[in-house]
Amino acid sequence: MAAAFRGEAPPLGHHNERAHHQWLADRIDKHYIEFITDLPKKIIYEVLGYTFYFAHYHLDMTDHYLTIEKNPSIEQLDSFYSSSDYDLVCFGHHHVIHHLTSDRRVYFNLGSLGCNHKPIARYGLVEVSESGINVESIQISYDNTDFLNSYEKLKVPDREFILKIFHGA
C-alpha cells in the first residue's frame, strides 16, 4: 500500500493486489504512511541470553520465498536461518498459524488478526526462563459482522474475492 501511495510500482508478487492497495492508499492519511514506512523491518531482542527475532515478513523474495512461504517445514526454516543465532523467530504476513520447534529454535506466527475464516483474534504469550522458551497462542472471539458488511458498504475493490479467500465467506 505504501508503494501505491507514493505512486511506485508494486512490490514483487503484488501486481494482482494493486487496485486494492491503491484504493487503500487513496483513503489513508499520509502521516500513517510515514509512520508505517519508518517502522523497523526487524527487531532483534535478547532476554536471559536468548535472542529473539521479530519481523512482519521474515523471508526474502528469493527461492526461499517460493518454497517455504505457505507451509514451511522445520527443516526448511532451519536451513533458511542456519547462519543465525536466533532462539525464537516471530513473524507475520502469513495468514496461517505456524508454531514449529526444532532443536535449534522456535518459529512462531499467530496468523492474521483480521483475515481469518473465524471471528477470532489471537495473541501470543512468550515465557522465557533459564530452562527455555515457551510460547502459547490465545484466542478471543469477537463479532466481525459490521467489519465484513463494510466491504460492500465501502465498495472495496475485489471484495468478493477478498471475502472468499481471507474470510471464508
Side-chain angles (χ1 to χ4, degrees), residues 20-40:
H20 181 72
H21 289 179
Q22 189 63 56
W23 183 87
L24 292 169
D26 291 344
R27 286 158 178 76
I28 194 166
D29 186 296
K30 72 174 184 170
H31 299 290
Y32 293 115
I33 295 294
E34 293 168 4
F35 174 77
I36 291 168
T37 302
D38 289 342
L39 289 173

Side-chain angles (χ1 to χ4, degrees), residues 13-169:
H14 288 259
H15 287 83
N16 293 338
E17 294 93 4
R18 183 53 179 228
H20 181 72
H21 289 179
Q22 189 63 56
W23 183 87
L24 292 169
D26 291 344
R27 286 158 178 76
I28 194 166
D29 186 296
K30 72 174 184 170
H31 299 290
Y32 293 115
I33 295 294
E34 293 168 4
F35 174 77
I36 291 168
T37 302
D38 289 342
L39 289 173
K41 301 294 183 214
K42 63 183 176 181
I43 296 172
I44 299 171
Y45 193 77
E46 288 195 30
V47 175
L48 294 176
Y50 295 105
T51 304
F52 296 174
Y53 176 80
F54 299 94
H56 168 76
Y57 192 69
H58 66 122
L59 301 176
D60 58 18
M61 295 295 186
T62 64
D63 291 338
H64 292 290
Y65 169 80
L66 298 174
T67 58
I68 68 175
E69 200 234 308
K70 300 223 185 275
N71 194 17
S73 70
I74 293 172
E75 294 79 20
Q76 289 170 317
L77 289 168
D78 273 348
S79 174
F80 185 77
Y81 286 100
S82 63
S83 63
S84 76
D85 292 327
Y86 307 134
D87 299 294
L88 173 65
V89 174
C90 293
F91 59 97
H93 187 79
H94 307 274
H95 292 229
V96 296
I97 297 172
H98 297 101
H99 182 183
L100 305 168
T101 303
S102 75
D103 59 345
R104 300 203 52 202
R105 65 186 52 90
V106 176
Y107 303 96
F108 193 47
N109 169 26
L110 290 168
S112 177
L113 178 60
C115 297
N116 197 322
H117 291 201
K118 298 177 183 178
I120 56 170
R122 293 185 198 99
Y123 66 93
L125 295 177
V126 178
E127 181 182 346
V128 183
S129 68
E130 282 82 18
S131 61
I133 299 169
N134 184 48
V135 295
E136 179 182 0
S137 174
I138 310 293
Q139 297 184 148
I140 299 174
S141 298
Y142 69 99
D143 183 358
N144 66 351
T145 305
D146 290 341
F147 170 70
L148 295 176
N149 288 336
S150 72
Y151 278 82
E152 183 62 38
K153 180 180 176 183
L154 297 171
K155 304 295 183 207
V156 174
D158 296 325
R159 58 191 166 276
E160 294 85 11
F161 174 77
I162 294 169
L163 287 168
K164 179 182 177 185
I165 297 301
F166 296 122
H167 303 289

